[in-house]
Amino acid sequence: MPSLTLLRHAKSSWTDPVTRDFDRPLNARGKQAAQTIGRYLKAEQLGFDHVVASPAIRVIETLDHFYTGYGEKLAPAWDRRIYLASAATLLDVVHDLPAGSQRALMVGHNPGLEDLVLLLVPQSKRDALRGEVELKYPTAAVAVLEWEGGWADAREGGARLTRFVRPRDLDAALGPDDD
C-alpha cells in the first residue's frame, strides 16, 4: 500500500523584488514552519523512499528548512510539471512515481495539492480531515494519503486521508495563515 505525503511549500515573501513568481523566496515565518513540519514528520517516524518536488525557489528553500527539522537530507527528483500544476497533472506525476518506492513525498503548490487531495479522497460527512483540507490547505501543511495497489492505481475517490497537519497545529505562533 503506497503512502503519499503532500507538502505545500512554506510561506513565501511577496516583498522581495523578484521578477518571476517562480523565484519568490520564503519569508522568516515560512522557514520556521518548514522546519517545524520536518521535526513533526521525523517524530512521527514518517520516512520517505522517494521525494519529488517543484523546482521553484520557494519549494527548494522549503525543503532546505524541512531537512533541518527532519534531521536528514533526501535528494529530490525535480519535476517542473509540479509547478502550479492542476490536480490532473499532479496525478500524472503520482502515476509516474518509481514502482520500487512505497513512501513518497511530493512538494508543491496550491491549488493543485488541495485539489489532488479532494480528487483522490471521497467526500464524506464523517471525514473531518477531508473537510479541513476543503476549508483551507495552508502553506507548509502536509496531507498523507494511502490506497490499495501501486502508484498507477491512484484514482478519483480511491484514497484515504490519514493525516492533515498544519504548522499552526504544532505551534500557535505559526498561524492562522492568511494565504
Side-chain angles (χ1 to χ4, degrees), residues 22-36:
F22 188 86
D23 297 324
R24 279 192 295 124
L26 296 185
N27 66 18
R29 183 170 138 196
K31 293 172 184 176
Q32 181 61 40
Q35 189 171 348
T36 298

Side-chain angles (χ1 to χ4, degrees), residues 8-178:
R8 182 177 174 200
H9 68 78
K11 193 154 187 66
S12 60
S13 173
W14 286 96
T15 60
D16 220 295
V18 296
T19 56
R20 300 183 316 159
D21 173 75
F22 188 86
D23 297 324
R24 279 192 295 124
L26 296 185
N27 66 18
R29 183 170 138 196
K31 293 172 184 176
Q32 181 61 40
Q35 189 171 348
T36 298
I37 287 293
R39 266 195 312 273
Y40 166 78
L41 292 179
K42 187 63 165 189
E44 293 293 308
Q45 299 179 339
L46 288 176
F48 308 102
D49 55 22
H50 186 74
V51 179
V52 61
S54 161
I57 297 300
R58 59 190 177 272
V59 171
I60 293 168
E61 290 185 4
T62 295
L63 278 170
D64 287 344
H65 293 280
F66 171 86
Y67 294 145
T68 299
Y70 193 70
E72 179 182 348
K73 187 168 183 169
L74 308 166
W78 303 109
D79 192 327
R80 182 120 184 149
R81 293 179 295 171
I82 297 172
Y83 177 67
L84 303 181
S86 67
T89 299
L90 293 175
L91 186 55
D92 287 342
V93 174
V94 170
H95 290 157
D96 291 342
L97 290 170
S101 71
Q102 286 295 305
R103 297 173 321 277
L105 172 65
M106 180 186 290
V107 189
H109 311 267
N110 248 10
L113 292 179
E114 177 180 331
D115 292 344
L116 181 62
V117 172
L118 298 177
L119 174 73
L120 294 177
V121 178
Q123 193 167 10
S124 166
K125 291 181 182 180
R126 295 178 301 196
D127 191 343
L129 286 179
R130 188 186 188 282
E132 289 295 318
V133 170
E134 199 167 357
L135 286 175
K136 186 171 194 175
Y137 198 124
T139 53
V142 293
V144 180
L145 302 153
E146 295 178 346
W147 59 88
E148 298 298 325
W151 301 119
D153 298 308
R155 60 177 168 67
E156 184 174 344
R160 288 183 315 284
L161 179 61
T162 62
R163 277 178 216 250
F164 180 61
V165 180
R166 301 161 295 200
R168 70 177 176 179
D169 297 333
L170 306 172
D171 180 348
L174 296 173
D177 207 294
D178 60 0

